[in-house]
Amino acid sequence: MATNWKFIIDESVTDPDDIARAFGLDLESTRRVSKTYPVKINPYFLKLAKDNGEALSRQVVPDIEELSPRNTACPKDPIMEEAYSPVTNLTHRYHDRVLFLVSDTCPVHCRFCTRKRKVGKGLTVTDETIDEGIEYIRGKPEIRDVLLSGGDPLLLEDDKLTDILDRIRGISHVEVIRIGTRVPGTLPQRVNEELARLLSRFHPLYIHTHFNHPAEITAESSIACRILADSGIPLSSQTVLLSGINDDASTLETLFRSLLSLRVRPYYLFQSDMVRGSEHFRTPLESGIKIMETVRGRTSEMALPRFAVDLPEGKGKVVLDSGHIEDDGRGKVIVTTLEGEKVKYPDPAPSG
Ligand SMILES: *Cc1c(COP(=O)(O)O)cnc(C)c1O
């Protein structure tokens, strides 16, 4: 694509007064919210949000609700990334993999961000934090899988990104590199042949992208996904379940099926985290489970992500498909069928 993505990013709207004018919001409260949680919307997503109404605009536009009591009562870091952080910007919670923040900027500031406490205000990535993170990974042979995030790693300049990937690929025990990015859906102009070629030098490299609503799938974002998929990068989506935005089965069914057509495999549907400033996006657990049951009956397993919750107090990610499964305590598993019938399923006898 011919448009220069850096130009688009430079034109991002970050002034609350401009946002209030663009979306017809109350000036005073938009200013107040933005002071605590900075606003950023690039022109591509701004136009998309204006054209598509609340499902997109609520994802990026400040809401006075962010400062309400139910929000101020929430922890800033419920999944406790900092507590599991041996060096700045790296979280090592699961034995064989790490989350490594290598960028401190994003194409838009999502109002439901898990790292709302620090994105746009205090998340700092420097050459030193990157060196430290890489040295940490090098010193831990159990780390097979490095998940790059931020901020958005694809907002790094090509040479910076190449340098980081080169050094991680140079560590012999690292098998898989993953990039978490919302770029394909929020700044698709960033994805071009050059970027795809750059990334494909580091296979096996996976991209977890992030789409929340069918309206994010445009001609531009479709091209971005095609370019990446054509260069052999397996794509998946980490969708966040958001109250009033996508918390109904037909919206998500459409989204998952559309993603699959773009060669993006739905990977996780995340329960929105109990993060200060994002609490009003959170849905009851039951609602995610129900939605997934409905979608499951209507489409192929190919289109189904796993519904997962990252438990508060740092208790970790849990996939919630266990509602279908109970243990009867005698080595038999009771499986509940789609029709609601409970069926005994004998596990194979242990070997040896
Ligand atoms: C989610 C997460 C991962 C990756 O988890 P997968 O289930 O392997 O995708 C790794 N580290 C941290 C800290 C995470 O939160």
mmCIF file of all heavy atoms in Angstrom, residues 10-58:
data_model
loop_
_atom_site.group_PDB
_atom_site.id
_atom_site.type_symbol
_atom_site.label_atom_id
_atom_site.label_comp_id
_atom_site.label_asym_id
_atom_site.label_seq_id
_atom_site.Cartn_x
_atom_site.Cartn_y
_atom_site.Cartn_z
ATOM 1 N N ASP A 10 1.446 9.848 12.762
ATOM 2 C CA ASP A 10 1.717 11.229 13.164
ATOM 3 C C ASP A 10 0.450 12.078 13.187
ATOM 4 O O ASP A 10 0.375 13.063 13.911
ATOM 5 C CB ASP A 10 2.742 11.873 12.225
ATOM 6 C CG ASP A 10 4.141 11.331 12.464
ATOM 7 O OD1 ASP A 10 4.346 10.691 13.517
ATOM 8 O OD2 ASP A 10 5.021 11.526 11.601
ATOM 9 N N GLU A 11 -0.503 11.698 12.365
ATOM 10 C CA GLU A 11 -1.756 12.455 12.300
ATOM 11 C C GLU A 11 -2.776 11.974 13.336
ATOM 12 O O GLU A 11 -3.937 12.394 13.300
ATOM 13 C CB GLU A 11 -2.375 12.318 10.895
ATOM 14 C CG GLU A 11 -1.559 12.973 9.792
ATOM 15 C CD GLU A 11 -1.582 14.494 9.892
ATOM 16 O OE1 GLU A 11 -2.678 15.065 9.834
ATOM 17 O OE2 GLU A 11 -0.491 15.091 10.055
ATOM 18 N N SER A 12 -2.377 11.083 14.237
ATOM 19 C CA SER A 12 -3.304 10.562 15.241
ATOM 20 C C SER A 12 -3.877 11.686 16.092
ATOM 21 O O SER A 12 -3.184 12.642 16.426
ATOM 22 C CB SER A 12 -2.596 9.577 16.175
ATOM 23 O OG SER A 12 -2.261 8.419 15.466
ATOM 24 N N VAL A 13 -5.133 11.544 16.457
ATOM 25 C CA VAL A 13 -5.773 12.531 17.318
ATOM 26 C C VAL A 13 -5.505 12.146 18.766
ATOM 27 O O VAL A 13 -5.847 11.043 19.204
ATOM 28 C CB VAL A 13 -7.293 12.582 17.050
ATOM 29 C CG1 VAL A 13 -7.928 13.685 17.875
ATOM 30 C CG2 VAL A 13 -7.555 12.801 15.572
ATOM 31 N N THR A 14 -4.869 13.041 19.502
ATOM 32 C CA THR A 14 -4.558 12.778 20.913
ATOM 33 C C THR A 14 -5.084 13.904 21.805
ATOM 34 O O THR A 14 -4.976 13.818 23.021
ATOM 35 C CB THR A 14 -3.030 12.658 21.125
ATOM 36 O OG1 THR A 14 -2.413 13.841 20.603
ATOM 37 C CG2 THR A 14 -2.455 11.451 20.411
ATOM 38 N N ASP A 15 -5.619 14.932 21.191
ATOM 39 C CA ASP A 15 -6.163 16.062 21.944
ATOM 40 C C ASP A 15 -7.631 15.789 22.280
ATOM 41 O O ASP A 15 -8.448 15.592 21.378
ATOM 42 C CB ASP A 15 -6.021 17.332 21.077
ATOM 43 C CG ASP A 15 -6.494 18.576 21.806
ATOM 44 O OD1 ASP A 15 -7.299 18.447 22.763
ATOM 45 O OD2 ASP A 15 -6.070 19.676 21.408
ATOM 46 N N PRO A 16 -7.953 15.741 23.590
ATOM 47 C CA PRO A 16 -9.332 15.420 23.981
ATOM 48 C C PRO A 16 -10.360 16.375 23.376
ATOM 49 O O PRO A 16 -11.488 15.964 23.085
ATOM 50 C CB PRO A 16 -9.314 15.520 25.509
ATOM 51 C CG PRO A 16 -8.030 16.152 25.877
ATOM 52 C CD PRO A 16 -7.075 15.938 24.758
ATOM 53 N N ASP A 17 -9.962 17.631 23.179
ATOM 54 C CA ASP A 17 -10.918 18.591 22.599
ATOM 55 C C ASP A 17 -11.310 18.177 21.185
ATOM 56 O O ASP A 17 -12.478 18.269 20.799
ATOM 57 C CB ASP A 17 -10.320 20.008 22.578
ATOM 58 C CG ASP A 17 -10.165 20.574 23.981
ATOM 59 O OD1 ASP A 17 -10.114 19.772 24.943
ATOM 60 O OD2 ASP A 17 -10.087 21.810 24.125
ATOM 61 N N ASP A 18 -10.321 17.695 20.420
ATOM 62 C CA ASP A 18 -10.609 17.254 19.046
ATOM 63 C C ASP A 18 -11.513 16.021 19.046
ATOM 64 O O ASP A 18 -12.403 15.897 18.208
ATOM 65 C CB ASP A 18 -9.305 16.919 18.308
ATOM 66 C CG ASP A 18 -8.451 18.168 18.084
ATOM 67 O OD1 ASP A 18 -9.023 19.283 18.103
ATOM 68 O OD2 ASP A 18 -7.224 18.025 17.921
ATOM 69 N N ILE A 19 -11.251 15.107 20.005
ATOM 70 C CA ILE A 19 -12.078 13.897 20.105
ATOM 71 C C ILE A 19 -13.506 14.272 20.465
ATOM 72 O O ILE A 19 -14.468 13.764 19.883
ATOM 73 C CB ILE A 19 -11.523 12.937 21.198
ATOM 74 C CG1 ILE A 19 -10.112 12.481 20.846
ATOM 75 C CG2 ILE A 19 -12.449 11.753 21.414
ATOM 76 C CD1 ILE A 19 -10.021 11.478 19.751
ATOM 77 N N ALA A 20 -13.641 15.160 21.453
ATOM 78 C CA ALA A 20 -14.979 15.584 21.885
ATOM 79 C C ALA A 20 -15.735 16.191 20.709
ATOM 80 O O ALA A 20 -16.906 15.886 20.489
ATOM 81 C CB ALA A 20 -14.867 16.580 23.036
ATOM 82 N N ARG A 21 -15.054 17.017 19.933
ATOM 83 C CA ARG A 21 -15.703 17.621 18.759
ATOM 84 C C ARG A 21 -16.076 16.569 17.721
ATOM 85 O O ARG A 21 -17.194 16.541 17.212
ATOM 86 C CB ARG A 21 -14.797 18.677 18.122
ATOM 87 C CG ARG A 21 -15.140 20.109 18.554
ATOM 88 C CD ARG A 21 -14.381 21.131 17.720
ATOM 89 N NE ARG A 21 -12.935 20.977 17.838
ATOM 90 C CZ ARG A 21 -12.217 21.537 18.823
ATOM 91 N NH1 ARG A 21 -12.804 22.273 19.752
ATOM 92 N NH2 ARG A 21 -10.912 21.355 18.885
ATOM 93 N N ALA A 22 -15.135 15.655 17.448
ATOM 94 C CA ALA A 22 -15.371 14.657 16.398
ATOM 95 C C ALA A 22 -16.562 13.749 16.724
ATOM 96 O O ALA A 22 -17.290 13.342 15.826
ATOM 97 C CB ALA A 22 -14.111 13.822 16.173
ATOM 98 N N PHE A 23 -16.740 13.428 18.011
ATOM 99 C CA PHE A 23 -17.793 12.475 18.370
ATOM 100 C C PHE A 23 -18.955 13.123 19.126
ATOM 101 O O PHE A 23 -19.826 12.427 19.636
ATOM 102 C CB PHE A 23 -17.210 11.317 19.194
ATOM 103 C CG PHE A 23 -16.322 10.411 18.375
ATOM 104 C CD1 PHE A 23 -14.959 10.637 18.288
ATOM 105 C CD2 PHE A 23 -16.866 9.342 17.663
ATOM 106 C CE1 PHE A 23 -14.133 9.816 17.533
ATOM 107 C CE2 PHE A 23 -16.039 8.508 16.912
ATOM 108 C CZ PHE A 23 -14.672 8.751 16.836
ATOM 109 N N GLY A 24 -18.936 14.455 19.214
ATOM 110 C CA GLY A 24 -20.028 15.157 19.896
ATOM 111 C C GLY A 24 -20.123 14.808 21.374
ATOM 112 O O GLY A 24 -21.206 14.566 21.902
ATOM 113 N N LEU A 25 -18.961 14.768 22.077
ATOM 114 C CA LEU A 25 -18.952 14.396 23.501
ATOM 115 C C LEU A 25 -18.857 15.643 24.372
ATOM 116 O O LEU A 25 -18.483 16.726 23.907
ATOM 117 C CB LEU A 25 -17.733 13.505 23.799
ATOM 118 C CG LEU A 25 -17.478 12.310 22.887
ATOM 119 C CD1 LEU A 25 -16.100 11.740 23.150
ATOM 120 C CD2 LEU A 25 -18.556 11.257 23.123
ATOM 121 N N ASP A 26 -19.144 15.440 25.643
ATOM 122 C CA ASP A 26 -18.994 16.521 26.604
ATOM 123 C C ASP A 26 -17.505 16.846 26.773
ATOM 124 O O ASP A 26 -16.686 15.978 27.077
ATOM 125 C CB ASP A 26 -19.598 16.097 27.950
ATOM 126 C CG ASP A 26 -19.394 17.158 29.011
ATOM 127 O OD1 ASP A 26 -19.943 18.265 28.835
ATOM 128 O OD2 ASP A 26 -18.665 16.888 29.991
ATOM 129 N N LEU A 27 -17.190 18.130 26.572
ATOM 130 C CA LEU A 27 -15.792 18.559 26.540
ATOM 131 C C LEU A 27 -15.090 18.341 27.879
ATOM 132 O O LEU A 27 -13.989 17.780 27.941
ATOM 133 C CB LEU A 27 -15.753 20.049 26.155
ATOM 134 C CG LEU A 27 -14.395 20.619 25.776
ATOM 135 C CD1 LEU A 27 -13.815 19.895 24.578
ATOM 136 C CD2 LEU A 27 -14.539 22.112 25.462
ATOM 137 N N GLU A 28 -15.765 18.773 28.949
ATOM 138 C CA GLU A 28 -15.152 18.737 30.275
ATOM 139 C C GLU A 28 -14.833 17.300 30.705
ATOM 140 O O GLU A 28 -13.728 17.008 31.160
ATOM 141 C CB GLU A 28 -16.115 19.397 31.283
ATOM 142 C CG GLU A 28 -15.440 20.156 32.375
ATOM 143 C CD GLU A 28 -14.216 20.937 31.906
ATOM 144 O OE1 GLU A 28 -14.338 21.838 31.023
ATOM 145 O OE2 GLU A 28 -13.122 20.606 32.393
ATOM 146 N N SER A 29 -15.781 16.384 30.520
ATOM 147 C CA SER A 29 -15.530 15.013 30.980
ATOM 148 C C SER A 29 -14.529 14.314 30.052
ATOM 149 O O SER A 29 -13.726 13.505 30.512
ATOM 150 C CB SER A 29 -16.835 14.221 31.121
ATOM 151 O OG SER A 29 -17.607 14.318 29.970
ATOM 152 N N THR A 30 -14.542 14.630 28.773
ATOM 153 C CA THR A 30 -13.559 14.032 27.865
ATOM 154 C C THR A 30 -12.144 14.445 28.280
ATOM 155 O O THR A 30 -11.219 13.630 28.299
ATOM 156 C CB THR A 30 -13.841 14.448 26.416
ATOM 157 O OG1 THR A 30 -15.200 14.166 26.108
ATOM 158 C CG2 THR A 30 -12.942 13.711 25.435
ATOM 159 N N ARG A 31 -12.002 15.723 28.668
ATOM 160 C CA ARG A 31 -10.693 16.199 29.152
ATOM 161 C C ARG A 31 -10.292 15.483 30.435
ATOM 162 O O ARG A 31 -9.140 15.066 30.586
ATOM 163 C CB ARG A 31 -10.772 17.701 29.448
ATOM 164 C CG ARG A 31 -10.675 18.562 28.226
ATOM 165 C CD ARG A 31 -10.753 20.023 28.639
ATOM 166 N NE ARG A 31 -10.844 20.889 27.473
ATOM 167 C CZ ARG A 31 -11.298 22.145 27.512
ATOM 168 N NH1 ARG A 31 -11.703 22.668 28.662
ATOM 169 N NH2 ARG A 31 -11.334 22.869 26.413
ATOM 170 N N ARG A 32 -11.227 15.339 31.355
ATOM 171 C CA ARG A 32 -10.924 14.709 32.646
ATOM 172 C C ARG A 32 -10.473 13.258 32.471
ATOM 173 O O ARG A 32 -9.486 12.826 33.050
ATOM 174 C CB ARG A 32 -12.163 14.748 33.554
ATOM 175 C CG ARG A 32 -12.087 15.859 34.587
ATOM 176 C CD ARG A 32 -13.286 15.837 35.514
ATOM 177 N NE ARG A 32 -13.343 14.648 36.362
ATOM 178 C CZ ARG A 32 -14.483 14.128 36.827
ATOM 179 N NH1 ARG A 32 -15.648 14.663 36.507
ATOM 180 N NH2 ARG A 32 -14.449 13.061 37.603
ATOM 181 N N VAL A 33 -11.211 12.515 31.662
ATOM 182 C CA VAL A 33 -10.871 11.103 31.461
ATOM 183 C C VAL A 33 -9.504 10.974 30.781
ATOM 184 O O VAL A 33 -8.664 10.168 31.182
ATOM 185 C CB VAL A 33 -11.966 10.384 30.633
ATOM 186 C CG1 VAL A 33 -11.578 8.947 30.360
ATOM 187 C CG2 VAL A 33 -13.305 10.448 31.347
ATOM 188 N N SER A 34 -9.280 11.818 29.777
ATOM 189 C CA SER A 34 -8.021 11.727 29.012
ATOM 190 C C SER A 34 -6.798 12.048 29.855
ATOM 191 O O SER A 34 -5.686 11.620 29.546
ATOM 192 C CB SER A 34 -8.054 12.682 27.824
ATOM 193 O OG SER A 34 -9.236 12.508 27.098
ATOM 194 N N LYS A 35 -7.024 12.826 30.906
ATOM 195 C CA LYS A 35 -5.915 13.160 31.791
ATOM 196 C C LYS A 35 -5.413 11.914 32.501
ATOM 197 O O LYS A 35 -4.223 11.732 32.705
ATOM 198 C CB LYS A 35 -6.412 14.162 32.838
ATOM 199 C CG LYS A 35 -5.512 15.352 32.964
ATOM 200 C CD LYS A 35 -6.065 16.278 34.012
ATOM 201 C CE LYS A 35 -5.268 17.562 34.029
ATOM 202 N NZ LYS A 35 -6.080 18.650 34.577
ATOM 203 N N THR A 36 -6.332 11.054 32.915
ATOM 204 C CA THR A 36 -5.951 9.808 33.592
ATOM 205 C C THR A 36 -5.587 8.736 32.570
ATOM 206 O O THR A 36 -4.611 7.998 32.746
ATOM 207 C CB THR A 36 -7.108 9.292 34.472
ATOM 208 O OG1 THR A 36 -7.556 10.376 35.282
ATOM 209 C CG2 THR A 36 -6.653 8.163 35.356
ATOM 210 N N TYR A 37 -6.372 8.639 31.520
ATOM 211 C CA TYR A 37 -6.154 7.613 30.505
ATOM 212 C C TYR A 37 -6.072 8.282 29.132
ATOM 213 O O TYR A 37 -7.098 8.553 28.505
ATOM 214 C CB TYR A 37 -7.307 6.599 30.533
ATOM 215 C CG TYR A 37 -7.494 5.935 31.874
ATOM 216 C CD1 TYR A 37 -8.653 6.136 32.621
ATOM 217 C CD2 TYR A 37 -6.494 5.110 32.405
ATOM 218 C CE1 TYR A 37 -8.828 5.525 33.857
ATOM 219 C CE2 TYR A 37 -6.666 4.500 33.643
ATOM 220 C CZ TYR A 37 -7.825 4.714 34.359
ATOM 221 O OH TYR A 37 -7.989 4.113 35.584
ATOM 222 N N PRO A 38 -4.850 8.537 28.665
ATOM 223 C CA PRO A 38 -4.658 9.307 27.429
ATOM 224 C C PRO A 38 -5.391 8.695 26.235
ATOM 225 O O PRO A 38 -5.535 7.479 26.124
ATOM 226 C CB PRO A 38 -3.150 9.257 27.202
ATOM 227 C CG PRO A 38 -2.557 8.895 28.507
ATOM 228 C CD PRO A 38 -3.581 8.107 29.260
ATOM 229 N N VAL A 39 -5.826 9.575 25.341
ATOM 230 C CA VAL A 39 -6.572 9.142 24.174
ATOM 231 C C VAL A 39 -5.642 9.146 22.959
ATOM 232 O O VAL A 39 -4.711 9.946 22.868
ATOM 233 C CB VAL A 39 -7.790 10.074 23.949
ATOM 234 C CG1 VAL A 39 -7.338 11.491 23.617
ATOM 235 C CG2 VAL A 39 -8.694 9.533 22.868
ATOM 236 N N LYS A 40 -5.871 8.193 22.071
ATOM 237 C CA LYS A 40 -5.145 8.186 20.800
ATOM 238 C C LYS A 40 -5.976 7.416 19.776
ATOM 239 O O LYS A 40 -6.347 6.263 20.018
ATOM 240 C CB LYS A 40 -3.785 7.513 20.956
ATOM 241 C CG LYS A 40 -2.988 7.459 19.661
ATOM 242 C CD LYS A 40 -1.624 6.821 19.906
ATOM 243 C CE LYS A 40 -0.788 6.792 18.644
ATOM 244 N NZ LYS A 40 0.508 6.142 18.874
ATOM 245 N N ILE A 41 -6.282 8.067 18.681
ATOM 246 C CA ILE A 41 -7.008 7.415 17.591
ATOM 247 C C ILE A 41 -6.377 7.869 16.275
ATOM 248 O O ILE A 41 -6.326 9.067 15.995
ATOM 249 C CB ILE A 41 -8.515 7.791 17.573
ATOM 250 C CG1 ILE A 41 -9.137 7.716 18.976
ATOM 251 C CG2 ILE A 41 -9.283 6.904 16.604
ATOM 252 C CD1 ILE A 41 -10.599 8.162 19.036
ATOM 253 N N ASN A 42 -5.867 6.933 15.505
ATOM 254 C CA ASN A 42 -5.265 7.342 14.227
ATOM 255 C C ASN A 42 -6.377 7.600 13.200
ATOM 256 O O ASN A 42 -7.507 7.130 13.355
ATOM 257 C CB ASN A 42 -4.224 6.316 13.755
ATOM 258 C CG ASN A 42 -4.873 5.037 13.247
ATOM 259 O OD1 ASN A 42 -5.617 5.035 12.258
ATOM 260 N ND2 ASN A 42 -4.598 3.933 13.937
ATOM 261 N N PRO A 43 -6.074 8.369 12.138
ATOM 262 C CA PRO A 43 -7.116 8.787 11.201
ATOM 263 C C PRO A 43 -7.848 7.629 10.518
ATOM 264 O O PRO A 43 -9.041 7.743 10.247
ATOM 265 C CB PRO A 43 -6.365 9.611 10.149
ATOM 266 C CG PRO A 43 -5.059 9.934 10.742
ATOM 267 C CD PRO A 43 -4.765 8.954 11.827
ATOM 268 N N TYR A 44 -7.166 6.521 10.266
ATOM 269 C CA TYR A 44 -7.839 5.375 9.657
ATOM 270 C C TYR A 44 -8.939 4.860 10.575
ATOM 271 O O TYR A 44 -10.090 4.687 10.171
ATOM 272 C CB TYR A 44 -6.836 4.248 9.356
ATOM 273 C CG TYR A 44 -7.521 2.921 9.034
ATOM 274 C CD1 TYR A 44 -8.053 2.691 7.766
ATOM 275 C CD2 TYR A 44 -7.653 1.927 10.003
ATOM 276 C CE1 TYR A 44 -8.715 1.491 7.476
ATOM 277 C CE2 TYR A 44 -8.308 0.738 9.726
ATOM 278 C CZ TYR A 44 -8.839 0.527 8.458
ATOM 279 O OH TYR A 44 -9.489 -0.651 8.190
ATOM 280 N N PHE A 45 -8.589 4.648 11.849
ATOM 281 C CA PHE A 45 -9.585 4.084 12.763
ATOM 282 C C PHE A 45 -10.631 5.123 13.151
ATOM 283 O O PHE A 45 -11.786 4.786 13.418
ATOM 284 C CB PHE A 45 -8.917 3.481 14.009
ATOM 285 C CG PHE A 45 -9.761 2.404 14.644
ATOM 286 C CD1 PHE A 45 -9.805 1.131 14.112
ATOM 287 C CD2 PHE A 45 -10.544 2.683 15.764
ATOM 288 C CE1 PHE A 45 -10.610 0.134 14.672
ATOM 289 C CE2 PHE A 45 -11.354 1.697 16.341
ATOM 290 C CZ PHE A 45 -11.390 0.422 15.789
ATOM 291 N N LEU A 46 -10.231 6.393 13.159
ATOM 292 C CA LEU A 46 -11.183 7.465 13.464
ATOM 293 C C LEU A 46 -12.328 7.469 12.457
ATOM 294 O O LEU A 46 -13.504 7.507 12.804
ATOM 295 C CB LEU A 46 -10.470 8.826 13.456
ATOM 296 C CG LEU A 46 -11.338 10.026 13.847
ATOM 297 C CD1 LEU A 46 -11.449 10.154 15.359
ATOM 298 C CD2 LEU A 46 -10.781 11.320 13.276
ATOM 299 N N LYS A 47 -11.966 7.366 11.195
ATOM 300 C CA LYS A 47 -12.998 7.376 10.149
ATOM 301 C C LYS A 47 -13.875 6.124 10.273
ATOM 302 O O LYS A 47 -15.096 6.203 10.205
ATOM 303 C CB LYS A 47 -12.345 7.451 8.763
ATOM 304 C CG LYS A 47 -13.366 7.361 7.642
ATOM 305 C CD LYS A 47 -12.851 7.849 6.311
ATOM 306 C CE LYS A 47 -13.968 7.993 5.284
ATOM 307 N NZ LYS A 47 -14.970 6.919 5.300
ATOM 308 N N LEU A 48 -13.214 4.990 10.489
ATOM 309 C CA LEU A 48 -13.959 3.731 10.623
ATOM 310 C C LEU A 48 -14.937 3.806 11.803
ATOM 311 O O LEU A 48 -16.090 3.379 11.699
ATOM 312 C CB LEU A 48 -12.949 2.594 10.839
ATOM 313 C CG LEU A 48 -13.412 1.178 10.528
ATOM 314 C CD1 LEU A 48 -13.783 1.031 9.065
ATOM 315 C CD2 LEU A 48 -12.296 0.182 10.905
ATOM 316 N N ALA A 49 -14.460 4.370 12.912
ATOM 317 C CA ALA A 49 -15.306 4.466 14.106
ATOM 318 C C ALA A 49 -16.466 5.426 13.871
ATOM 319 O O ALA A 49 -17.590 5.169 14.302
ATOM 320 C CB ALA A 49 -14.473 4.916 15.304
ATOM 321 N N LYS A 50 -16.187 6.515 13.162
ATOM 322 C CA LYS A 50 -17.270 7.469 12.900
ATOM 323 C C LYS A 50 -18.308 6.871 11.953
ATOM 324 O O LYS A 50 -19.500 7.123 12.081
ATOM 325 C CB LYS A 50 -16.705 8.773 12.332
ATOM 326 C CG LYS A 50 -15.960 9.573 13.391
ATOM 327 C CD LYS A 50 -15.673 10.987 12.946
ATOM 328 C CE LYS A 50 -16.961 11.765 12.790
ATOM 329 N NZ LYS A 50 -16.769 13.208 12.726
ATOM 330 N N ASP A 51 -17.852 6.062 11.015
ATOM 331 C CA ASP A 51 -18.769 5.462 10.044
ATOM 332 C C ASP A 51 -19.577 4.302 10.612
ATOM 333 O O ASP A 51 -20.592 3.918 10.042
ATOM 334 C CB ASP A 51 -17.990 4.933 8.821
ATOM 335 C CG ASP A 51 -17.426 6.072 7.988
ATOM 336 O OD1 ASP A 51 -17.825 7.233 8.234
ATOM 337 O OD2 ASP A 51 -16.582 5.803 7.112
ATOM 338 N N ASN A 52 -19.065 3.679 11.686
ATOM 339 C CA ASN A 52 -19.691 2.438 12.143
ATOM 340 C C ASN A 52 -20.352 2.503 13.515
ATOM 341 O O ASN A 52 -20.809 1.491 14.025
ATOM 342 C CB ASN A 52 -18.675 1.297 12.116
ATOM 343 C CG ASN A 52 -18.401 0.844 10.697
ATOM 344 O OD1 ASN A 52 -19.169 0.070 10.137
ATOM 345 N ND2 ASN A 52 -17.355 1.381 10.086
ATOM 346 N N GLY A 53 -20.342 3.681 14.111
ATOM 347 C CA GLY A 53 -21.098 3.831 15.348
ATOM 348 C C GLY A 53 -20.429 3.242 16.574
ATOM 349 O O GLY A 53 -19.216 2.976 16.580
ATOM 350 N N GLU A 54 -21.261 2.995 17.583
ATOM 351 C CA GLU A 54 -20.744 2.722 18.933
ATOM 352 C C GLU A 54 -19.871 1.481 19.076
ATOM 353 O O GLU A 54 -18.986 1.453 19.918
ATOM 354 C CB GLU A 54 -21.916 2.593 19.897
ATOM 355 C CG GLU A 54 -22.661 3.898 20.127
ATOM 356 C CD GLU A 54 -23.054 4.058 21.578
ATOM 357 O OE1 GLU A 54 -23.407 3.033 22.207
ATOM 358 O OE2 GLU A 54 -22.990 5.193 22.087
ATOM 359 N N ALA A 55 -20.125 0.449 18.271
ATOM 360 C CA ALA A 55 -19.366 -0.795 18.429
ATOM 361 C C ALA A 55 -17.868 -0.520 18.252
ATOM 362 O O ALA A 55 -17.033 -1.158 18.880
ATOM 363 C CB ALA A 55 -19.834 -1.846 17.437
ATOM 364 N N LEU A 56 -17.527 0.434 17.398
ATOM 365 C CA LEU A 56 -16.118 0.770 17.239
ATOM 366 C C LEU A 56 -15.739 1.981 18.083
ATOM 367 O O LEU A 56 -14.687 1.991 18.720
ATOM 368 C CB LEU A 56 -15.766 1.038 15.771
ATOM 369 C CG LEU A 56 -15.958 -0.109 14.787
ATOM 370 C CD1 LEU A 56 -15.128 0.131 13.546
ATOM 371 C CD2 LEU A 56 -15.594 -1.448 15.392
ATOM 372 N N SER A 57 -16.586 3.004 18.110
ATOM 373 C CA SER A 57 -16.189 4.228 18.817
ATOM 374 C C SER A 57 -15.988 3.971 20.315
ATOM 375 O O SER A 57 -15.049 4.495 20.911
ATOM 376 C CB SER A 57 -17.178 5.368 18.573
ATOM 377 O OG SER A 57 -18.437 5.056 19.119
ATOM 378 N N ARG A 58 -16.830 3.132 20.919
ATOM 379 C CA ARG A 58 -16.666 2.886 22.361
ATOM 380 C C ARG A 58 -15.339 2.214 22.693
ATOM 381 O O ARG A 58 -14.846 2.285 23.817
ATOM 382 C CB ARG A 58 -17.831 2.044 22.911
ATOM 383 C CG ARG A 58 -19.122 2.859 23.093
ATOM 384 C CD ARG A 58 -20.150 2.103 23.904
ATOM 385 N NE ARG A 58 -19.629 1.671 25.190
ATOM 386 C CZ ARG A 58 -19.799 0.449 25.708
ATOM 387 N NH1 ARG A 58 -20.474 -0.465 25.052
ATOM 388 N NH2 ARG A 58 -19.292 0.132 26.877
#
